Amino acid sequence: MSHPAEGTLQALLDGELPRADRAEVELHLRGCSTCRGEAERLRAAAAALTAALAHVDRPAPTERALAAASRRRWRRWVGVDTGQGMRRAAVLVLGVATVASATVHGSPVRGWIAGLVHRVAPSAARGPDSPAAAPGGARDDATAGGPAAGAAAPGAHPAASAAGVSVLPELGRVRVVLTAPSPELRIRVRLSDDAYSDVRASGLASGARFRTGPGRVEVSGAGAGEVEVVIPRGARSAVVEVDGHPYFRKDGDGIRLLAPASDSSGSEVVFTVRP
Amino acid sequence: MDFEQTFRSLYPSLFRYLHRLTGDADVAEDLAQESFVRLLGHRVSDDGVRVWLFTVATNLVRDGARKQARRARILAAEPVLPGAFPAPDEGVEREARISAVRDALGHLAARDRELLLMREEGFSYAEIARAAGVAPGSVGTLIARALRRFTQAYQTGEDDG
C-alpha cells in the first residue's frame, strides 16, 4: 500500500481504525521507517499535549458546584427561573402562612419580624468603623448620614458622602460585580490583610445601589466618583468585573489585570471604566 | 437519570475541559453549571448525556467568545502594566509554565482546541464529530494537524522563554 495519510496514522494510534484497515496499516509500518517515524512523532506530540495540560489543571469544585446546581434546580422547580405557575403558588402559600403566623402572639414569625424592625433602625447611624454583622456574612455601613446599602441620604450632597458594604469570602472566593456605572467612574482595587472584602463608593458614586450575597457584592448605577474594592490577600480567588467584563482577577497569589489600568502601585491599581 | 449521580460523575471532566478551553476557572465553573442546569429541561438518554453536556458547554464557550471578540480586540492594543502586584518568587515558574501552555493553546483555532481537548477527555471520534460538528471521517486528520500546530507553538514558546 502507499503511505497512509496522517489522519489514518492518528486514528491507528487512537484505536479508531477499523480492524481490517488496522492490519493493513500495521503491516505497512513494519516495512516503512518513514511512516514509523511519522507515527512516533504523532505519539510524542499527543504525550506532550497531555503533559502540558496537566500544568494548567486545578481540582474541580464538584461539591460546591453541586450545591449551587441543586439550588438552581430547586428554583427551577418552584418556577423562580422559569416564571411558571408553581412559583406563584409557592409564594402565595408562603405569604398566607407568614401572615397567619404573624398574627399569633408568641409565634416565632412574629418575634422574627419584631427583631428585624429593631435591627434596621440603628444601622443608618452606624459609622464605617463600627460595622455590624448582617445576614449572609455581610456588613454594611454608610457615612455622612447615608442610609445603609448604598442610597445617598435625601438632601445630602453626594460628593460629601460615602457608602459601602463588606462581605466575607465564600469558600475563599470573592466576586465584585459593577453594572451600568458612569464611564468616568474610577475603580480602585486594593489588597488587604483584612478578612472582609470591603466595597465603598464615594463622591458622585455614593448613590450606587448595593446588593450582597455569599462572597458576592453587586454595585449598580455608580456615578462619576470612585468605588474602592478591598480584596483580602487570603482570598483563594477574586474577580472584579464591570458589565460582565473582568477587570481584575486574583487566583491564589497570582494577579491579572484584564483592563487597562490608569494607575498602579505596589498593592493597589486604579481603573477608569472607559479611559 | 439520577441528577446528583450524573453530576458527580461528569462534572470533573466537564470542568477540566472548560478550564483548559477558556483558561478561566470561574468561567469554567459557571459554564459547567449552566450546562447541567440546562440538562434538567431536556430528555437525554443516559448514553448521550456526556456528549450532550460537552456540546452545550462548547456552544456556550463559542457564544461567549463571539461576545468578547470586540472587547478583546480593543484590549489587545493596551499593554498590561508590568510590575503591578508582582507574584511571589515560588509561583513565577509555575505561572510561566501555565502561561506557555495557554499561549500555545491560544495559537490554535477554536475548533482545533475543542477537538484536542475532547480527545483528552477520552471521547471517541464519533462523539467528537457530533459534539464539535465536524465530519466523522475527518477527525483523525484534524487532530493530527492540531497536534502538530500545538507542538510547534509550545516548543517555540518554551524556546523563547
Side-chain angles (χ1 to χ4, degrees):
Chain A
M1 71 177 289
S2 56
H3 296 301
E6 187 179 46
T8 304
L9 289 175
Q10 185 64 50
L12 174 74
L13 295 173
D14 287 338
E16 292 277 349
L17 218 52
R19 185 185 298 267
D21 294 344
R22 191 173 66 211
E24 190 177 359
V25 174
E26 285 174 343
L27 183 65
H28 175 86
L29 284 177
R30 278 197 282 274
C32 179
S33 60
T34 303
C35 288
R36 280 202 306 277
E38 178 65 7
E40 182 50 39
R41 186 192 62 77
L42 289 170
R43 195 194 316 270
L49 173 66
T50 302
L53 290 173
H55 292 310
V56 304
D57 286 343
R58 61 171 60 185
T62 306
E63 294 307 316
R64 181 177 69 223
L66 178 57
S70 297
R71 282 195 295 273
R72 287 189 63 184
R73 187 183 184 195
W74 184 86
R75 286 166 61 87
R76 281 179 64 92
W77 184 79
V78 299
V80 173
D81 288 344
T82 62
Q84 292 169 349
M86 186 66 85
R87 171 192 178 186
R88 289 190 293 274
V91 170
L92 182 62
V93 168
L94 282 173
V96 170
T98 302
V99 170
S101 299
T103 60
V104 178
H105 280 286
S107 78
V109 174
R110 191 183 179 98
W112 175 66
I113 291 173
L116 276 182
V117 171
H118 286 298
R119 270 197 301 177
V120 165
S123 68
R126 207 183 302 138
D129 296 323
S130 57
R139 60 187 186 188
D140 54 52
D141 53 67
T143 59
H157 192 288
S161 64
V165 296
S166 305
V167 295
L168 281 169
E170 169 78 351
L171 298 173
R173 297 184 358 143
V174 176
R175 195 174 197 105
V176 178
V177 178
L178 291 97
T179 53
S182 163
E184 282 76 41
L185 175 70
R186 286 160 54 85
I187 304 166
R188 182 182 302 276
V189 181
R190 186 161 61 81
L191 294 177
S192 158
D193 293 326
D194 193 4
Y196 277 88
S197 180
D198 293 321
V199 181
R200 287 173 185 276
S202 58
L204 293 173
S206 60
R209 297 183 63 81
F210 289 76
R211 290 181 60 193
T212 60
R216 181 183 179 92
V217 177
E218 296 176 19
V219 185
S220 57
E226 180 170 299
V227 168
E228 183 185 47
V229 178
V230 177
I231 303 291
R233 288 183 204 277
R236 189 168 57 80
S237 75
V239 63
V240 178
E241 65 181 53
V242 179
D243 284 337
H245 303 303
Y247 274 43
F248 170 93
R249 186 175 293 283
K250 175 181 185 298
D251 287 305
D253 293 326
I255 298 292
R256 280 190 288 158
L257 308 183
L258 303 168
S262 54
D263 192 14
S264 74
S265 65
S267 62
E268 70 175 39
V269 61
V270 179
F271 302 98
T272 302
V273 172
R274 292 196 189 93
Chain B
M1 178 181 65
D2 181 297
F3 180 76
E4 192 171 320
Q5 187 181 350
T6 303
F7 194 98
R8 287 185 196 281
S9 165
L10 299 181
Y11 182 86
S13 170
L14 184 61
F15 172 82
R16 181 171 55 234
Y17 168 74
L18 287 168
H19 182 222
R20 289 170 168 181
L21 193 59
T22 64
D24 188 311
D26 286 334
V27 170
E29 194 172 339
D30 288 348
L31 296 185
Q33 186 184 124
E34 179 63 25
S35 303
F36 273 99
V37 170
R38 290 190 183 193
L39 177 63
L40 291 168
H42 288 80
R43 289 180 185 277
V44 184
S45 70
D46 287 357
D47 290 345
V49 168
R50 187 160 174 257
V51 174
W52 190 94
L53 281 170
F54 275 72
T55 305
V56 169
T58 302
N59 286 334
L60 288 172
V61 173
R62 290 174 182 170
D63 290 347
R66 276 193 284 272
K67 288 175 187 168
Q68 292 285 341
R70 183 175 172 274
R71 176 177 165 75
R73 282 196 296 275
I74 294 169
L75 284 178
E78 300 281 354
V80 173
L81 285 182
F85 299 94
D89 288 344
E90 63 267 25
V92 170
E93 190 180 338
R94 182 172 177 273
E95 286 296 322
R97 205 177 295 136
I98 291 172
S99 178
V101 178
R102 287 188 175 146
D103 284 349
L105 286 172
H107 273 85
L108 303 180
R111 187 192 62 185
D112 287 352
R113 271 197 301 275
E114 293 162 12
L115 293 174
L116 288 184
L117 297 179
M118 283 185 205
R119 177 186 170 279
E120 284 291 317
E121 294 304 321
F123 280 98
S124 69
Y125 280 14
E127 290 172 328
I128 291 173
R130 208 177 332 147
V134 299
S138 69
V139 173
T141 302
L142 293 173
I143 284 177
R145 290 176 185 166
L147 275 173
R148 187 172 57 228
R149 290 181 190 122
F150 173 82
T151 306
Q152 286 169 351
Y154 191 47
Q155 285 175 347
T156 302
E158 285 198 321
D159 291 345
D160 290 347

